[in-house]
Amino acid sequence: RNQTDPVLQLENINVNFDGFQALTDLTLNIGVGELRCIIGPNGAGKTTLMDVITGKTRPQSGRAIYDQSTDLTTLDPIAIARQGIGRKFQKPTVFEALTVEENLELALKSDKSVWGTLRARLTGEQRDRIDEILALLRLSNERGRRAGLLSHGQKQFLEIGMLLVQEPHLLLLDEPAAGMTDAETEYTAELFRQLAGKHSLMVVEHDMGFVETIADRVTVLHQGRVLAQGSLREVQANEQVIEVYLGR
Ligand code: ADP
């Protein structure tokens, strides 16, 4: 597979909420293995865009072609998740009463069968996968700890791990570094750079310092449209972007 193949092709997406146009003719390609940052002021349509990709919001028109074959706008959220698309919301949602390891086990089994989830035993391969992810997220020493006792940043990492055990192709992350310490933010950037290539990532982010450390390409949304696209340097030099977004 070619690195420049698109994993996702959004074509002329329109979303209208009771007369309010949240996305207008939005066209956007994400390449396989790309790490794309989506930025833009509040109300620009970033969350709506993620909602369209994950099937939470159905657009009035347009297509979202995944893996050059499936139009996601025809599928429900569960079917979309099964296609290998994982989403992380800004606030971490882990099972606080379960251990770190149990959280990962549950995430690993949850896409298989609901009925077998609690009783199913892990294969050796699945065990190895969990060990690998614990190490990757620097949570190996916390594996037996209740998730509720983790720091905010560790919970964020655990939730990323819960996505990764399902081996997603495309990861959507909403402000993943929010509330993290500087060291945790730095490691998140390192982690994302490691994940890119194997996975495609779309990251909604406000922190420009963080965007600068992670992004190959940045898409700027404004009033439901793509205002600019390119490297962070390019979009920061774009006059329209300066005017509406950066305000300097
Ligand atoms: P962002 O994530 O960039 O801040 P959103 O996608 O959340 O922007 O919102 C884009 C616009 O659409 C906002 O003006 C918001 O008020 C509006 N909007 C979002 N969801 C709904 C909804 N369910 N009903 C009505 N308006 C909505």
Side-chain angles (χ1 to χ4, degrees), residues 17 20 22 41-48:
F17 296 114
F20 178 82
N42 275 336
K46 305 182 295 295
T47 306
T48 306

Short mmCIF file of all heavy atoms in Angstrom, two decimals, residues 17 20 22 41-48, ligand 1:
data_model
loop_
_atom_site.label_atom_id
_atom_site.label_comp_id
_atom_site.label_asym_id
_atom_site.label_seq_id
_atom_site.Cartn_x
_atom_site.Cartn_y
_atom_site.Cartn_z
N PHE A 17 -27.94 21.85 11.22
CA PHE A 17 -28.73 21.61 12.44
C PHE A 17 -29.85 22.63 12.49
O PHE A 17 -29.61 23.80 12.79
CB PHE A 17 -27.86 21.78 13.69
CG PHE A 17 -26.73 20.81 13.83
CD1 PHE A 17 -25.41 21.25 13.77
CD2 PHE A 17 -26.96 19.45 14.05
CE1 PHE A 17 -24.35 20.36 13.93
CE2 PHE A 17 -25.91 18.56 14.21
CZ PHE A 17 -24.60 19.01 14.14
N PHE A 20 -29.05 25.79 10.96
CA PHE A 20 -27.68 26.28 11.16
C PHE A 20 -26.70 25.38 10.41
O PHE A 20 -26.64 24.18 10.63
CB PHE A 20 -27.33 26.32 12.66
CG PHE A 20 -25.93 26.77 12.90
CD1 PHE A 20 -25.62 28.13 12.91
CD2 PHE A 20 -24.90 25.85 13.07
CE1 PHE A 20 -24.31 28.56 13.11
CE2 PHE A 20 -23.59 26.27 13.26
CZ PHE A 20 -23.30 27.63 13.29
N ALA A 22 -23.49 23.82 9.98
CA ALA A 22 -22.28 23.55 10.78
C ALA A 22 -21.10 23.16 9.91
O ALA A 22 -19.95 23.48 10.24
CB ALA A 22 -22.57 22.48 11.82
N PRO A 41 -11.09 27.96 15.44
CA PRO A 41 -11.71 28.55 16.63
C PRO A 41 -12.94 27.76 17.09
O PRO A 41 -13.44 26.91 16.36
CB PRO A 41 -12.10 29.96 16.17
CG PRO A 41 -12.13 29.91 14.68
CD PRO A 41 -11.16 28.85 14.27
N ASN A 42 -13.40 28.05 18.28
CA ASN A 42 -14.62 27.42 18.79
C ASN A 42 -15.76 27.60 17.81
O ASN A 42 -15.94 28.68 17.25
CB ASN A 42 -15.02 28.05 20.13
CG ASN A 42 -14.30 27.40 21.28
OD1 ASN A 42 -13.88 26.25 21.18
ND2 ASN A 42 -14.14 28.13 22.37
N GLY A 43 -16.51 26.53 17.60
CA GLY A 43 -17.66 26.60 16.71
C GLY A 43 -17.30 26.41 15.25
O GLY A 43 -18.17 26.50 14.38
N ALA A 44 -16.03 26.13 14.96
CA ALA A 44 -15.57 25.98 13.56
C ALA A 44 -16.14 24.74 12.90
O ALA A 44 -16.21 24.67 11.67
CB ALA A 44 -14.05 25.95 13.51
N GLY A 45 -16.52 23.75 13.70
CA GLY A 45 -17.07 22.52 13.13
C GLY A 45 -16.20 21.29 13.35
O GLY A 45 -16.46 20.23 12.77
N LYS A 46 -15.18 21.41 14.19
CA LYS A 46 -14.24 20.31 14.41
C LYS A 46 -14.93 19.07 15.00
O LYS A 46 -14.73 17.95 14.53
CB LYS A 46 -13.08 20.77 15.32
CG LYS A 46 -12.36 22.01 14.81
CD LYS A 46 -11.21 22.42 15.71
CE LYS A 46 -11.60 22.87 17.10
NZ LYS A 46 -12.42 24.12 17.13
N THR A 47 -15.73 19.32 16.03
CA THR A 47 -16.43 18.20 16.67
C THR A 47 -17.45 17.59 15.71
O THR A 47 -17.58 16.36 15.63
CB THR A 47 -17.14 18.67 17.96
OG1 THR A 47 -16.17 19.33 18.78
CG2 THR A 47 -17.76 17.52 18.72
N THR A 48 -18.15 18.43 14.99
CA THR A 48 -19.13 17.94 14.02
C THR A 48 -18.46 17.06 12.97
O THR A 48 -18.99 16.02 12.59
CB THR A 48 -19.86 19.13 13.35
OG1 THR A 48 -20.39 19.98 14.36
CG2 THR A 48 -20.97 18.66 12.43
P1 ADP B 1 -15.95 23.04 17.32
O1 ADP B 1 -15.78 21.62 17.74
O2 ADP B 1 -15.01 23.45 16.23
O3 ADP B 1 -15.90 24.00 18.47
P2 ADP B 1 -18.66 22.21 16.71
O4 ADP B 1 -18.54 21.20 15.64
O5 ADP B 1 -18.88 21.72 18.11
O6 ADP B 1 -17.41 23.21 16.67
O7 ADP B 1 -19.86 23.19 16.39
C1 ADP B 1 -20.01 23.85 15.15
C2 ADP B 1 -21.27 24.68 15.21
O8 ADP B 1 -22.40 23.85 15.14
C3 ADP B 1 -21.38 25.48 16.50
O9 ADP B 1 -21.88 26.77 16.18
C4 ADP B 1 -22.39 24.70 17.30
O10 ADP B 1 -23.15 25.57 18.13
C5 ADP B 1 -23.25 24.06 16.24
N1 ADP B 1 -23.77 22.75 16.67
C6 ADP B 1 -23.06 21.67 16.97
N2 ADP B 1 -23.84 20.62 17.29
C7 ADP B 1 -25.12 21.07 17.20
C8 ADP B 1 -26.42 20.48 17.40
N3 ADP B 1 -26.57 19.21 17.76
N4 ADP B 1 -27.49 21.27 17.21
C9 ADP B 1 -27.36 22.56 16.83
N5 ADP B 1 -26.19 23.17 16.62
C10 ADP B 1 -25.07 22.45 16.80
#
